[in-house]
Amino acid sequence: MSVDAFLDRCRAIVGAGFVLDTPGDMAPFLRDWRGRFTGAARAVLRPGSVDEVAQLVRACADARVPIVPQGGNTGLVLGSVPDAGGTAVVLSLTRLNRIRAIDAVNRTITVDAGAVLQHVQQAALDAGCLFPLSLAAEGSCTIGGNLSTNAGGTAVLRYGNTRELCLGLEVVTAQGELWSGLRGLRKDNTGYDLRDLYIGAEGTLGIITGAVMKLYPLPKASITALAALPSPAHALQLLSLAQDRAGASLTGFELISEYCLELVATHFPQLPRPFATTHPQYALLEISSNESEAHGVALLEGTIAAAIDAGIVVDAVVATSVAQSRGLWALREHIPLAQAADGKNIKHDISLPVSTIASFIAHTEPLLQQAFPGCRLVCFGHLGDGNLHFNVAPPHGIGHEAFLANQANVNRLVHDTVVAYGGSISAEHGIGALKRDELARYKSPVELNLMRAVKAALDPHNIMNPGKIL
Amino acid sequence: MSVDAFLDRCRAIVGAGFVLDTPGDMAPFLRDWRGRFTGAARAVLRPGSVDEVAQLVRACADARVPIVPQGGNTGLVLGSVPDAGGTAVVLSLTRLNRIRAIDAVNRTITVDAGAVLQHVQQAALDAGCLFPLSLAAEGSCTIGGNLSTNAGGTAVLRYGNTRELCLGLEVVTAQGELWSGLRGLRKDNTGYDLRDLYIGAEGTLGIITGAVMKLYPLPKASITALAALPSPAHALQLLSLAQDRAGASLTGFELISEYCLELVATHFPQLPRPFATTHPQYALLEISSNESEAHGVALLEGTIAAAIDAGIVVDAVVATSVAQSRGLWALREHIPLAQAADGKNIKHDISLPVSTIASFIAHTEPLLQQAFPGCRLVCFGHLGDGNLHFNVAPPHGIGHEAFLANQANVNRLVHDTVVAYGGSISAEHGIGALKRDELARYKSPVELNLMRAVKAALDPHNIMNPGKIL
C-alpha cells in the first residue's frame, strides 16, 4: 500500500482534520518534553473514539506502519516520540479525555486514556474522594501515559505506583482488536494478569484506551515536618521509627541533602530557610490523618519528639498551618527548578533496597569524586520508596555543557554501582529509547529472552512503538 | 526416551529417595485438598534446591513430560493435582522451605517457594514485623502456592492480595532456565512485568522457586466489633463510613447473614451469641492501630457511634479484650465449619464491584428461590473486597448429596448473574481444572487469545501444568 493510500484510509477513519501531516502541525508531537530530541513521522493521527483507535491500528497493521502511542508527551526517556526514520505514525490519545464514570462506594473512577491526570484528580475530589497519583507533569500528562510508564510520584510510599492504583484496563491490541478488561474488582483470579503486562510496557504491546482506577477516602488533614539529620543513615532510622509509629498514616518521606537546599537558596532566595544553621541532611515527613488535623499534628509531633530523644533528629520544624506546610514542600519541589537554573547536569533515576541507601551514598560519592574531582552531587528523592534522584553537576569553574561530555562515564559508574547494590537503573521513568542500551547491558539474557518472547507473542509484526524498551 | 530412562535421569538429579513412584508414596500428592478427586502420575519429584528444580524441568522438557508444580496442595480448584491420565509428574516444592533472608529496614523477607505460610508469618514476627497474608490453610499452604494462585484471605482490604505483597520472584522457566528476579525494590520500571505474569498463573508458565515479599510495621493493637444491620445495603453504608473515618486503619470488614450465625449456633452451641435478638445482617469490623490500643478502641467506638446516630447500625458489640475479639472472629471462622457439619453445599467464590453487592444479593436470592424453591443461601465474606462466599444449601428435607445434582444449574444461575453485574467467577481461588470450562464460557475470545499467546510464548511445548486455566 502506498503512503498516500494508507493516509487516505486513516482520513476515512478519523476525518481529514485529525490526520496531521504538515511539519508545523506535527512539531509538538515529535519533540521530546526536555527538548533534547525531535523525531520524524508520516503523520500524527488523532482518533476521537476507542473504535477509531482500533480501526487505525488495523490500518497500520495491514500496511506494517509502526505506531508510536502518545499521551501528554511528558515522558523523560524518549518513549513517546518517534525515531528520526520518519516511517512511523504518532497515535495521539488526547482526544479521548472523558471521565467515563465515578463510583464513590466502589471507590473507582473509569477514565479514557487521554484524560489529563489533574482532571482525574479533580473529578475524584468533586466526588469527595482522593485519587492519589501526583507528579510534576500532572497538568499535562495523561492517565494512559501514567499507566504505560507505571509512573511514580510523591505518594508512592502510601498508595503505590500507578500499577497499584489500577484495577482494570481497556486495550487495543497490536492486531487492532479490543480487549475490554475494565473491571472494578479488588479480587479477580481468572487467568493471566494481562493488565499488569500492558502497564509499564510503554506502548510496545498494545494501546491502553481506558482504565478503572482506585480512589481513596480523602484525608481530613496532611501535616508536614522538616527534620535536620546528621547523615543518610539517620534518615533511615527516622523512616523506620516513623513507619512503626504512624503505619499507613506516613504518606511522604523525602530525603534532601544540604547541597540541595543551598542550590534552592541560591536560585530562589525568596523562599525561607527553615533552620538558622546548616545540617548535612534533611527529611521531609508528611503524615495524613483520616480522623482530624489534631490527630495528625499529635502523631507527627510525637514521632519527631521520639526521634529527637533517640538522638536521630537534631532539629525540626513542624508546619502548623497549610501555608507553612506548602512552604516546606516548596523547598523540595524547587530542587529540580534550582538545578535547571544552575545548568544542565547528569541525571539518574535510581532505586535501591531502602536499607542500603546510606551505604550506597557513602560508597558512590567518593567513587565519583575520584573519577570526576570536584563534581557536585545533587542527591534527593523519595527515600521511603528507595528512589533517589542522584544527579551529578560539574565542579565549580567547569561549564555545564562541557561536563556533559562525561555523561556516559558518569552513568556507567553510577549504574554499575546501583546494580551491584541490587538496585534499578530506572525507578519511575521507564526505559523508552534513552535507556534501551542500558537495559540490554544490565538485564540477564534469560530475562531479555522472556521479554522478547512476550513482545513477539503480542506484537508479532513489531509495529507497536518499535525501538523502545527492547 | 523410555519412562524408565526418564525416571533414572530424575533419580540422578535428586537422588533415588526423592523420586516417589509407588502408589502409597504418591497418594498424598495426588489427592485434592477437599478429597473430591485423585489424579495419577508417573512419579512425584522432590527437588532439594533451585538448581535441582531447573535440572528436573530440563529433563521433563527433553522427554516432553508434563509437570504439575505443587506446594502445600491446599488449593480448592484442582490446580495442584495431576489429571487421571498418569503421564505427568508432580514436582513438589516442599523441600525448598528456607527463610533465605529478612531485612527489617527494607521491610522485606526473601523465602523459598516451599516455605509454609505460617513459618513466614512467624519469621516476620520474630523480626518485629508483620507479614499480613493470612488464610485458613496457613498451617499447610506454601508461599509458592499463594503466589501461583494470588491468594486472598482476611487482610486484603488493607494489604492487598498476594500479588500486592510480592516485590520480586525467582522462577524456573518452562525451558529449565533460571530467571533471578529477586528484587527488593518498591520502584523498578525496567521492562515488562514478568513478576505479575507468573503470579496467579497457577504453575502453567513456569515454576516459582523463591520470592521477596513485603513486610509491614506490626500494629500495636487490633480491635474488633460486630455490628447488627437491617440489610446488606446498610452494610455498604457502614463500610463507606468506616473507611472515611479510619482510612487504612480499617483492616477487616466481613459481612455475615443471620442464617450464617444460625448455622454456627446449631453446630457450635458452645460459642456465645453476641446479641439477645436476631438481626438480618451483621458486619465484623477490625481496626488496627500503629499508635496504641486506646487509639484503636476510640476510633472503632467513634465509628460505631456515628453509624448508630446515622441509623445505619441497630446494635453493636465492641470487643474490649483480646479474648472477646477472638470470640467475635471465631463466629466468622466457624461459618465454613458449620456448613461442613451441616452437609455439602454448592459453593461460589465470587467478587463484585463493592457498590453492587446489595443489589446483587437482592436480585439473585429470589432467582435462586424461583429455580430451587426452599434452597438456603449461606452468604458471607470479605465485603470490603467485594468478595462473597455465596453458597447454596438444599431446602430442609432434601438431602445434601441429592441437591448436589443441581450443581451445574446453580453455578450457571449464579455465575451468569455475577458476570452481568461486572463481577468475577473466581475471586481468590483461581481456575485450576475445576473452573476451566467456566473461564472459557465467560472470557471474551480476545482475552482468551491473548492468554493463549502468552502461554505459547512462555511454554511452547505445553508441559507446564497442562489442562489448568486454559
Side-chain angles (χ1 to χ4, degrees):
Chain A
M1 189 186 278
S2 73
V3 172
D4 281 349
F6 164 74
L7 290 179
D8 282 345
R9 184 170 167 190
C10 293
R11 287 187 193 98
I13 295 166
V14 294
F18 295 113
V19 176
L20 316 181
D21 58 357
T22 69
D25 286 347
M26 292 200 289
F29 299 87
L30 304 180
R31 200 165 38 229
D32 135 74
W33 183 248
R34 280 185 176 155
R36 292 163 300 184
F37 178 79
T38 299
R42 290 187 190 185
V44 174
L45 311 177
R46 304 194 59 214
S49 70
V50 173
D51 181 58
E52 287 181 6
V53 175
Q55 289 188 59
L56 288 174
V57 172
R58 288 199 291 276
C60 291
D62 289 346
R64 299 284 193 273
V65 172
I67 303 169
V68 180
Q70 188 180 91
N73 195 21
T74 64
L76 300 174
V77 291
L78 308 183
S80 59
V81 288
D83 64 21
T87 59
V89 293
V90 172
L91 196 152
S92 168
L93 278 296
T94 52
R95 288 180 66 215
L96 275 71
N97 58 5
R98 287 175 313 144
I99 307 294
R100 295 192 198 173
I102 191 156
D103 182 340
V105 175
N106 196 40
R107 299 197 190 268
T108 47
I109 187 166
T110 307
V111 298
D112 281 353
V116 170
L117 172 53
Q118 204 166 63
H119 299 165
V120 180
Q121 294 167 342
Q122 187 60 48
L125 211 55
D126 292 345
C129 295
L130 173 72
F131 180 62
L133 184 65
S134 177
L135 45 92
E138 63 197 22
S140 308
C141 65
T142 64
I143 287 289
N146 300 145
L147 285 161
S148 292
T149 58
N150 185 27
T154 56
V156 173
L157 180 65
R158 163 68 183 95
Y159 299 101
N161 298 287
T162 308
R163 181 184 304 290
E164 283 84 40
L165 298 175
C166 180
L167 290 177
L169 280 190
E170 179 187 78
V171 171
V172 171
T173 70
Q175 289 79 25
E177 295 186 302
L178 184 67
W179 170 49
S180 295
L182 284 179
R183 298 186 269 264
L185 303 172
R186 257 73 185 179
K187 282 183 172 175
D188 177 29
N189 284 344
T190 53
Y192 302 146
D193 182 10
L194 300 170
R195 176 190 69 200
D196 284 310
L197 200 49
Y198 288 108
I199 295 175
E202 304 184 33
T204 64
L205 300 178
I207 301 179
I208 296 171
T209 56
V212 181
M213 308 299 293
K214 290 186 200 168
L215 300 177
Y216 287 84
L218 207 54
K220 302 282 189 303
S222 292
I223 320 293
T224 311
L226 191 70
L229 301 153
S231 74
H234 289 83
L236 285 180
Q237 292 176 32
L238 178 59
L239 174 66
S240 280
L241 185 147
Q243 287 181 321
D244 283 338
R245 295 178 72 101
S249 298
L250 183 70
T251 46
F253 196 103
E254 302 281 315
L255 181 70
I256 302 170
S257 72
E258 166 58 23
Y259 184 61
C260 294
L261 284 198
E262 250 181 77
L263 267 184
V264 171
T266 302
H267 296 283
F268 300 95
Q270 72 276 23
L271 291 177
R273 285 217 60 152
F275 297 106
T277 59
T278 65
H279 302 277
Q281 300 286 336
Y282 305 90
L284 184 70
L285 292 84
E286 184 189 77
I287 294 261
S288 298
S289 174
N290 286 79
E291 299 168 49
S292 66
E293 185 173 338
H295 171 251
V297 169
L299 186 53
L300 185 50
E301 288 182 343
T303 300
I304 297 287
I308 290 174
D309 284 352
I312 297 168
V313 165
V314 179
D315 198 358
V317 178
V318 177
T320 53
S321 69
V322 172
Q324 274 189 342
S325 183
R326 285 207 185 123
L328 292 181
W329 272 105
L331 291 175
R332 163 67 179 82
E333 286 155 4
H334 277 74
I335 299 171
L337 305 174
Q339 276 186 106
D342 199 56
K344 284 185 180 161
N345 55 39
I346 299 169
K347 293 188 194 301
H348 304 94
D349 166 43
I350 60 175
S351 71
L352 295 147
V354 175
S355 51
T356 69
I357 281 188
S359 57
F360 170 82
I361 295 173
H363 178 78
T364 312
E365 196 164 7
L367 288 181
L368 281 169
Q369 286 303 335
Q370 202 177 340
F372 311 98
C375 72
R376 291 167 297 148
L377 184 62
V378 186
C379 178
F380 62 101
H382 318 297
L383 189 73
D385 316 321
N387 181 192
L388 291 182
H389 298 297
F390 195 81
N391 301 335
V392 184
H396 287 294
I398 294 189
H400 287 261
E401 290 290 347
F403 187 66
L404 286 184
N406 296 302
Q407 174 138 5
N409 292 331
V410 173
N411 287 166
R412 182 64 55 242
L413 189 158
V414 171
H415 288 167
D416 279 357
T417 316
V418 163
V419 170
Y421 271 79
S424 167
I425 62 162
S426 184
E428 56 178 8
H429 297 165
I431 299 299
L434 191 69
K435 293 189 180 172
R436 191 173 66 138
D437 293 344
E438 292 293 274
L439 189 82
R441 179 185 179 91
Y442 291 113
K443 288 282 181 188
S444 70
V446 172
E447 187 163 348
L448 287 170
N449 283 336
L450 288 168
M451 287 193 205
R452 287 187 197 109
V454 167
K455 168 75 173 174
L458 298 189
D459 178 25
H461 301 306
N462 193 27
I463 63 164
M464 294 307 311
N465 216 2
K468 312 295 163 62
I469 298 185
L470 291 171
Chain B
M1 190 188 278
S2 74
V3 172
D4 282 350
F6 165 73
L7 290 179
D8 282 344
R9 184 170 167 190
C10 294
R11 287 187 193 98
I13 295 166
V14 293
F18 294 113
V19 176
L20 315 181
D21 58 359
T22 70
D25 286 346
M26 290 199 291
F29 299 88
L30 303 180
R31 198 165 41 229
D32 136 74
W33 183 248
R34 280 185 177 154
R36 293 162 300 184
F37 178 79
T38 298
R42 289 187 189 184
V44 174
L45 311 177
R46 303 192 62 214
S49 70
V50 173
D51 181 57
E52 287 181 7
V53 174
Q55 288 188 59
L56 288 174
V57 173
R58 288 198 293 274
C60 292
D62 289 346
R64 300 284 192 271
V65 171
I67 303 169
V68 180
Q70 189 181 88
N73 196 21
T74 63
L76 300 173
V77 291
L78 308 182
S80 59
V81 289
D83 64 21
T87 59
V89 292
V90 172
L91 195 152
S92 167
L93 279 297
T94 51
R95 288 180 66 216
L96 275 71
N97 59 4
R98 287 175 312 145
I99 307 293
R100 295 193 198 173
I102 190 155
D103 181 341
V105 175
N106 196 41
R107 299 197 190 268
T108 48
I109 186 166
T110 307
V111 297
D112 280 353
V116 170
L117 172 53
Q118 206 167 61
H119 298 168
V120 180
Q121 294 168 342
Q122 188 59 49
L125 212 53
D126 293 344
C129 295
L130 173 72
F131 180 63
L133 184 65
S134 177
L135 45 92
E138 62 197 21
S140 308
C141 66
T142 63
I143 288 289
N146 299 146
L147 285 162
S148 292
T149 59
N150 187 26
T154 55
V156 173
L157 180 63
R158 163 66 184 96
Y159 299 101
N161 297 288
T162 308
R163 181 184 303 290
E164 283 84 40
L165 298 175
C166 181
L167 291 177
L169 280 189
E170 178 187 78
V171 171
V172 170
T173 70
Q175 289 79 25
E177 294 186 301
L178 184 67
W179 170 48
S180 295
L182 284 178
R183 299 185 268 266
L185 303 173
R186 258 71 186 179
K187 283 184 172 174
D188 177 29
N189 283 345
T190 53
Y192 301 147
D193 183 10
L194 300 171
R195 177 190 69 201
D196 284 310
L197 200 49
Y198 288 108
I199 294 175
E202 302 184 35
T204 65
L205 300 178
I207 301 179
I208 296 171
T209 55
V212 180
M213 307 301 293
K214 290 185 201 169
L215 300 177
Y216 288 84
L218 206 55
K220 302 283 189 303
S222 291
I223 320 293
T224 311
L226 191 71
L229 302 152
S231 74
H234 290 83
L236 286 181
Q237 291 175 33
L238 179 59
L239 174 66
S240 280
L241 185 147
Q243 288 181 320
D244 282 338
R245 294 178 71 101
S249 299
L250 183 71
T251 46
F253 196 103
E254 302 282 316
L255 181 71
I256 302 170
S257 74
E258 166 58 23
Y259 183 62
C260 294
L261 284 198
E262 250 180 76
L263 268 184
V264 170
T266 303
H267 296 281
F268 299 95
Q270 71 278 22
L271 292 177
R273 285 216 60 150
F275 298 106
T277 60
T278 65
H279 303 276
Q281 299 286 336
Y282 307 89
L284 184 69
L285 292 83
E286 184 187 78
I287 294 261
S288 298
S289 173
N290 286 79
E291 299 168 48
S292 65
E293 186 174 336
H295 171 250
V297 170
L299 186 53
L300 184 51
E301 287 182 343
T303 299
I304 297 287
I308 290 173
D309 284 352
I312 298 167
V313 165
V314 179
D315 198 358
V317 179
V318 177
T320 53
S321 69
V322 173
Q324 275 189 342
S325 182
R326 285 208 184 120
L328 293 181
W329 272 105
L331 291 174
R332 163 67 180 82
E333 285 154 5
H334 277 75
I335 300 170
L337 305 173
Q339 276 186 106
D342 199 57
K344 283 184 180 163
N345 56 38
I346 299 170
K347 294 188 194 303
H348 304 93
D349 166 43
I350 60 175
S351 71
L352 296 146
V354 174
S355 50
T356 70
I357 281 189
S359 57
F360 170 82
I361 295 173
H363 178 79
T364 311
E365 195 163 8
L367 288 181
L368 281 168
Q369 286 302 336
Q370 201 177 339
F372 311 98
C375 71
R376 293 166 295 149
L377 183 62
V378 187
C379 178
F380 62 101
H382 318 297
L383 189 73
D385 317 321
N387 181 192
L388 290 183
H389 298 296
F390 195 80
N391 301 334
V392 184
H396 286 294
I398 294 190
H400 287 263
E401 289 290 348
F403 188 66
L404 286 183
N406 297 302
Q407 174 138 5
N409 292 331
V410 174
N411 287 166
R412 181 66 54 245
L413 189 156
V414 172
H415 288 166
D416 278 358
T417 316
V418 164
V419 171
Y421 272 79
S424 168
I425 62 162
S426 185
E428 54 177 9
H429 297 165
I431 299 299
L434 192 68
K435 294 189 180 172
R436 191 173 66 138
D437 292 344
E438 292 293 274
L439 188 83
R441 180 184 178 91
Y442 292 112
K443 287 284 179 186
S444 69
V446 172
E447 187 163 348
L448 288 169
N449 282 336
L450 288 169
M451 287 192 206
R452 287 186 197 110
V454 167
K455 169 75 172 174
L458 298 189
D459 178 24
H461 300 304
N462 193 27
I463 62 164
M464 294 308 311
N465 217 2
K468 313 296 164 60
I469 298 183
L470 291 172

